[in-house]
């Protein structure tokens, strides 16, 4: 039996492939390479010693599923594939709704045609919008979600919940994770955005390595301890392990889990931590708030610890060290 991993050549997908291999799972990868590359998969195979069947294609392409299911015995799916930029989604909402929602619907339809009814969905803390309280638990009501990206995640969650009500054989885990950063400790795989990064850590590392002149800090007037936005940063390897634990503990119906450390770190605190951990200067400047961002967002991950036996173990220092180890050894990413 194998696990179909959509978006498996991406940042979180590749790290999850490593952890799946370590847990003894066989993986099959579907990725259109719009924000990833085959080199990342080659490096995963170097790390694990495993060979992965790779299918280049889109989750909305029904024809590619015929090949995948004819050639593989798929038992479950981990669904990462999707567009993920908050800022870009504000400018191109139609593109995000089409790609993320319609693509996910087609994926689930094709899985159900083959009686594959175990799904782990890569959701996001953005579904909480401006959170009603922090730390955020899974019972926190969804507020007004400020970005089309976040809305696609919430809509897909609602779709999966309705499907589970209609089909009692459906097992689905919605993993609402917070802010993944860091890289595999080998330095062979890491985050490699195509353009100017939308996420904080690759922006920091690209400034540190000289690819970008200065870091933009979006806003210093939030109601936080230093005015910059506060987030719950989690090491990508811890996050990947959360997907394995969810797969090992699948149960009928929909289960929702926050994956984070439970600690909030501000943008300016992260810059300082990175500089201290690696002895590298990161010049920055303050600019206006970014559309779609909220001031403070961090979680309680107690439910995942209780039900899945999962807990993040790597601290901010380790996240910064591994992120820099990746970037300094791959100054141009995979290119």
């Amino acid at each position: 039996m194998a696990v179909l991993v959509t978006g498996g050549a991406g940042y979180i997908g590749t790290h999850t492939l490593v952890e799946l291999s370590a847990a003894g799972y066989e993986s099959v990868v579907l990725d259109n390479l719009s924000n990833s590359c085959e080199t990342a998969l080659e490096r995963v195979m170097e790390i694990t010693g495993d060979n992965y069947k790779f299918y280049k294609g889109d989750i909305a392409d029904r024809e590619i599923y015929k090949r995948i299911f004819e050639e593989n015995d798929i038992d479950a799916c981990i669904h990462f594939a999707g567009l993920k930029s908050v800022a870009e989604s504000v400018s191109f909402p139609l593109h995000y709704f089409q790609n993320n929602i319609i693509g996910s619907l087609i994926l689930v339809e094709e899985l159900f045609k083959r009686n594959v009814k175990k799904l782990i969905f890569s959701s996001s803390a953005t579904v909480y919008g401006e959170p009603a309280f922090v730390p955020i638990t899974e019972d926190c009501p969804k507020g007004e979600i400020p970005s089309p990206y976040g809305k696609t995640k919430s809509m897909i969650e609602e779709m999966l919940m309705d499907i589970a009500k209609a089909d009692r054989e459906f097992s689905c885990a919605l993993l609402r994770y917070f802010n993944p950063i860091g890289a595999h400790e080998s330095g062979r795989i890491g985050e490699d955005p195509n353009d100017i990064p939308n996420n904080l850590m690759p922006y920091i590392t690209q400034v540190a390595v000289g690819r970008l002149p200065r870091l933009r800090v979006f806003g210093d007037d939030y109601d936080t301890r230093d005015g910059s936005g506060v987030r719950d940063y989690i090491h990508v390897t811890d996050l990947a392990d959360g997907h394995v634990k969810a797969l090992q503990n699948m149960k009928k119906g929909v289960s929702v889990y926050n994956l984070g450390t439970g600690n909030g770190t501000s943008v300016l605190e992260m810059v300082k931590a990175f500089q201290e951990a690696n002895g590298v200067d990161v010049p920055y400047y303050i600019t206006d708030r970014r559309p779609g961002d909220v001031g403070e967002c961090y979680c309680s991950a107690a439910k995942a610890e209780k039900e899945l036996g999962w807990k993040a173990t790597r601290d901010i220092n380790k996240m910064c060290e591994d992120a820099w180890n990746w970037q300094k050894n791959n100054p141009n990413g995979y290119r």
Side-chain angles (χ1 to χ4, degrees), residues 214-235:
R214 291 186 299 166
L215 170 70
R216 288 184 295 173
V217 176
F218 296 101
D220 64 348
D221 58 349
Y222 288 106
D223 185 19
T224 60
R225 49 187 170 268
D226 61 17
S228 64
V230 170
R231 297 291 183 271
D232 189 337
Y233 296 96
I234 176 174
H235 197 292

Side-chain angles (χ1 to χ4, degrees), residues 97-112:
F97 293 138
Q98 178 70 37
N99 186 88
N100 292 5
I101 297 173
I102 302 303
S104 296
L105 178 60
I106 291 172
L107 167 66
V108 175
E109 286 178 342
E110 295 299 322
L111 291 173
F112 272 46

Side-chain angles (χ1 to χ4, degrees), residues 280-292:
V280 182
D281 186 45
V282 181
Y284 66 87
Y285 67 99
I286 308 295
T287 188
D288 293 337
R289 294 185 184 188
R290 187 168 53 180

Side-chain angles (χ1 to χ4, degrees), residues 66-136:
K66 295 179 182 179
R67 289 180 49 212
I68 291 172
F69 284 95
E70 285 173 357
E71 298 171 7
N72 304 278
D73 190 5
I74 303 295
D75 181 58
C77 176
I78 300 179
H79 178 31
F80 293 111
L83 300 173
K84 61 179 184 177
S85 168
V86 169
E88 183 183 62
S89 75
V90 173
S91 299
F92 304 101
L94 184 60
H95 186 41
Y96 270 69
F97 293 138
Q98 178 70 37
N99 186 88
N100 292 5
I101 297 173
I102 302 303
S104 296
L105 178 60
I106 291 172
L107 167 66
V108 175
E109 286 178 342
E110 295 299 322
L111 291 173
F112 272 46
K113 283 181 184 178
R114 283 85 178 184
N115 202 36
V116 177
K117 297 189 177 182
K118 295 178 182 178
L119 177 69
I120 295 173
F121 175 56
S122 165
S123 191
S124 169
T126 58
V127 301
Y128 294 113
E130 186 76 49
F133 53 81
V134 290
I136 301 166

